[in-house]
Amino acid sequence: MATDLDTLLTALYVKIDDEIGGTRWMGRPPLLSDSELICLAVAQALLGYHSEARWLRFARTHLSGMFPYLPRQSGYNKRLRAALPLVKQMIRELAADSDFWFDNHWIVDSTPVPCGMSRPTVQRSNLAGWAGYGYCASHSRFFWGLRLYLVCTPTGMPIMWALANPKIGEREVLAAMLEVDAGLVAEREGILLISDKGFASTPFEKELTAHGIDLLRPSRKREKQRYGEPMLKKVRQLIESVNDTLKGQLDLEQHGGRTFEGVAVRVAQRILAMAAAIWHNNKTGAPVTRSLIAYDH
């Protein structure tokens, strides 16, 4: 099978159609099916179009063969926000259909998702109360927005993800994620969770042990070197490269969302695009599973 955008979208369309069992609508089905909508959203993220209006103009000119009907910008926006549960479902389905689903080595990290750059935006934004001020240590800067928490395999395949206010502690968010997906954790034995120092806490580690999870993290100051710490430098670069894929190639920080649903679906759209590329590369035997080069033009 070839590795390009057309073959990816075709394979993804078939996968989505199989999973959702055709249309989910009562009465007259929409002219743009759910499968086509999700494929259209993935293509938008892979091709790097931040503006939905510009994206639809491009799609009408260059992708009319794959998408015979395209809605206007407002209709596309409404359909995409309503499809958030389906986008989240397909992220999980693609991960489960890959060879990486059974990998018991997980990596967790959080990265900023800015949602506003000015004081008036912060005061008037519909995200007030959900978004907040936080500090990005890797870039030495403050931001207003959310934090994306991503649990993935070393290849970058998303296992769990969540958006949270930056003021909420990292351990608290991760504990909530593991509680929500308790069934997924219970199905596995011997999970090794790799993190940074931000998740360091003796009570938290005991809680993870109760779930059958071993935490591998760097030692803190005045703490003796922990078991397995020498291998962490190379492994930690993996999650940094995953975040770089989301931000550098899929433009996570330029999501353009202004409401709760808008931000959530645009972040999920980019995670789905990365998961789809990894899934398709795995199925086609590509040498680099997280490479987007074949799909970004």
Side-chain angles (χ1 to χ4, degrees), residues 37-274:
L37 174 70
I38 302 303
C39 289
L40 191 64
V42 168
Q44 178 187 359
L46 290 172
L47 293 176
Y49 278 84
H50 315 142
S51 166
E52 292 176 349
R54 289 185 60 200
W55 164 240
L56 291 173
R57 287 198 298 269
F58 172 86
R60 285 191 179 93
T61 304
H62 298 93
L63 300 178
S64 57
M66 298 192 73
F67 304 100
Y69 172 79
L70 289 170
R72 295 185 180 275
Q73 188 268 337
S74 59
Y76 175 68
N77 184 275
K78 291 177 182 177
R79 284 286 307 279
L80 193 58
R81 284 183 292 168
L84 177 59
L86 180 58
V87 174
K88 294 166 67 176
Q89 176 189 344
M90 289 314 303
I91 294 172
R92 179 62 56 87
E93 295 292 347
L94 293 179
D97 191 39
S98 71
D99 295 338
F100 314 119
W101 179 247
F102 301 101
D103 193 334
N104 281 0
H105 291 71
W106 292 354
I107 305 175
V108 61
D109 199 10
S110 67
T111 189
V113 181
C115 298
M117 301 299 290
S118 66
R119 185 62 183 167
T121 299
V122 172
Q123 292 175 331
R124 300 172 185 172
S125 175
N126 291 327
L127 296 171
W130 184 37
Y133 282 103
Y135 182 72
C136 177
S138 59
H139 293 91
S140 302
R141 62 181 172 91
F142 288 93
F143 68 95
W144 186 82
L146 302 162
R147 274 194 172 275
L148 170 64
Y149 290 80
L150 182 66
V151 177
C152 65
T153 66
T155 57
M157 179 60 82
I159 301 295
M160 293 182 282
W161 65 278
L163 289 167
N165 188 299
K167 296 186 182 299
I168 303 177
E170 292 182 318
R171 297 185 296 272
E172 187 178 346
V173 175
L174 179 58
M177 292 169 65
L178 295 174
E179 183 179 350
V180 170
D181 271 317
L184 174 62
V185 177
E187 291 174 357
R188 301 164 183 267
E189 295 182 1
I191 296 175
L192 180 64
L193 185 63
I194 303 168
S195 72
D196 58 17
K197 296 179 184 178
F199 294 89
S201 166
T202 300
F204 181 63
E205 291 187 40
K206 290 181 179 178
E207 183 180 342
L208 291 179
T209 303
H211 287 289
I213 301 174
D214 293 322
L215 183 66
L216 180 60
R217 61 166 177 83
S219 57
R220 295 176 291 185
K221 289 182 180 179
R222 302 180 185 142
E223 185 181 18
K224 67 179 182 180
Q225 190 177 70
R226 292 168 58 88
Y227 175 77
E229 188 173 349
M231 63 172 283
L232 274 177
K233 282 189 177 180
K234 292 183 179 179
V235 177
R236 284 295 305 157
Q237 289 299 316
L238 293 173
I239 189 64
E240 295 297 338
S241 65
V242 172
N243 289 336
D244 185 65
T245 298
L246 288 170
K247 291 191 171 185
Q249 295 180 271
L250 295 173
D251 304 313
L252 178 66
E253 293 191 348
Q254 301 181 50
H255 54 83
R258 295 293 178 265
T259 63
F260 177 91
E261 298 85 357
V263 173
V265 75
R266 284 169 175 83
V267 172
Q269 175 185 7
R270 286 155 173 80
I271 296 175
L272 176 60
M274 183 176 69

Side-chain angles (χ1 to χ4, degrees), residues 28-45:
R28 180 181 297 177
L31 296 177
L32 183 72
S33 69
D34 288 333
S35 303
E36 290 174 322
L37 174 70
I38 302 303
C39 289
L40 191 64
V42 168
Q44 178 187 359

